[in-house]
Amino acid sequence: MRIKTKLTFGVGLLFLLILALAVVSGWYIHQLKKDTNNILVANYNTLQYSRNMLIALEGISNDTTAINTFNENLIKQQQNVTEIGEKEATIMVMKHFSMLRENPEDTVLISSIRTDITELMRLNMEAIERKSNIADATAQKAILIISVTGTLCFLIAFTLLVNLPSGIANPIKELTE
C-alpha cells in the first residue's frame, strides 16, 4: 500500500469516527429535547389552566371577571386534553361550572369543581412523572451509546496512532537505506 493511501485511509477513518460520534450524540440530544418538550407543552399548560381556574373559583360567587377568567381557562383546557381520563375530568368541570353559573352561591358545587380540577392536576402530574421517567431512560441510553461509540472511536484512533506512523516511516527508512 502506498504511503499517500495509508495517510488518506488513516485521516479519513478518523474523520468518519468523529462524524459518527457527532451524529449519534446529536440524535440522542434531539430525542431528549423531544421527550422534555412533550412534558412541557401539554401537561404544564393544563396545570397552569387548572391553577388559574382555582384562583378564579375563589371569587366566582360575586365577580363576573372571575367567571370570565374561569371560563377562558376552561375553554383552553378543553383544547388541551392529552392524557387518558383528562377528557372525562374536563367534562365534569364543565358540567359543574354550568350548574354553578345558575346557582353561584352553592358551596357544594364549588367544592365539586375544586375536586374535579384537583383530578385534572393529578392526572397531569402523573403524566409528567411518567414522561420524565421516559426522558431519564432516553438519557441513560444516550449516555451508554455515546460512551460505547466514544470508546470504539478512541480504540480505533489509538490503533491508528500506534500503527500508522510505523507504516509510513518503515518504507521511508527502507528507501533511505
Side-chain angles (χ1 to χ4, degrees):
M1 189 183 294
R2 294 175 54 202
I3 293 174
K4 184 177 180 182
T5 307
K6 288 180 183 179
L7 279 171
T8 303
F9 174 74
V11 172
L13 188 57
L14 287 173
F15 174 76
L16 288 176
L17 292 173
I18 292 168
L19 184 65
L21 192 57
V23 166
V24 168
S25 300
W27 188 80
Y28 273 105
I29 288 171
H30 175 73
Q31 288 300 109
L32 284 170
K33 179 183 176 276
K34 197 168 71 172
D35 287 349
T36 54
N37 252 4
N38 194 16
I39 294 169
L40 292 176
V41 170
N43 302 110
Y44 178 78
N45 287 342
T46 292
L47 291 174
Q48 190 67 36
Y49 303 147
S50 297
R51 179 184 157 276
N52 292 343
M53 284 188 281
L54 283 173
I55 291 169
L57 193 60
E58 295 302 317
I60 212 157
S61 60
N62 55 10
D63 186 8
T64 56
T65 306
I67 292 172
N68 291 336
T69 300
F70 189 97
N71 196 42
E72 287 171 13
N73 283 281
L74 183 56
I75 290 169
K76 289 177 184 176
Q77 170 53 33
Q78 285 176 288
Q79 298 166 350
N80 191 48
V81 173
T82 57
E83 302 303 325
I84 296 170
E86 190 174 0
K87 182 177 183 179
E88 292 79 9
T90 302
I91 290 171
M92 290 305 293
V93 173
M94 291 168 40
K95 177 183 166 190
H96 289 134
F97 179 63
S98 66
M99 292 167 60
L100 183 67
R101 287 179 114 172
E102 295 170 13
N103 188 6
E105 301 298 322
D106 191 345
T107 58
V108 173
L109 281 174
I110 291 174
S111 179
S112 295
I113 292 172
R114 207 174 267 117
T115 302
D116 298 336
I117 293 172
T118 304
E119 177 63 12
L120 267 176
M121 294 174 90
R122 183 193 65 77
L123 288 169
N124 279 276
M125 291 185 73
E126 285 176 358
I128 286 172
E129 185 176 344
R130 188 178 62 253
K131 290 173 184 177
S132 178
N133 290 338
I134 291 170
D136 285 345
T138 302
Q140 292 299 321
K141 186 176 179 184
I143 289 168
L144 177 68
I145 297 295
I146 291 170
S147 296
V148 167
T149 305
T151 301
L152 286 174
C153 289
F154 172 78
L155 291 174
I156 293 169
F158 185 75
T159 303
L160 285 173
L161 177 69
V162 170
N163 294 326
L164 191 60
S166 64
I168 294 170
N170 288 344
I172 292 173
K173 184 179 177 185
E174 287 176 15
L175 182 63
T176 304
E177 289 174 358

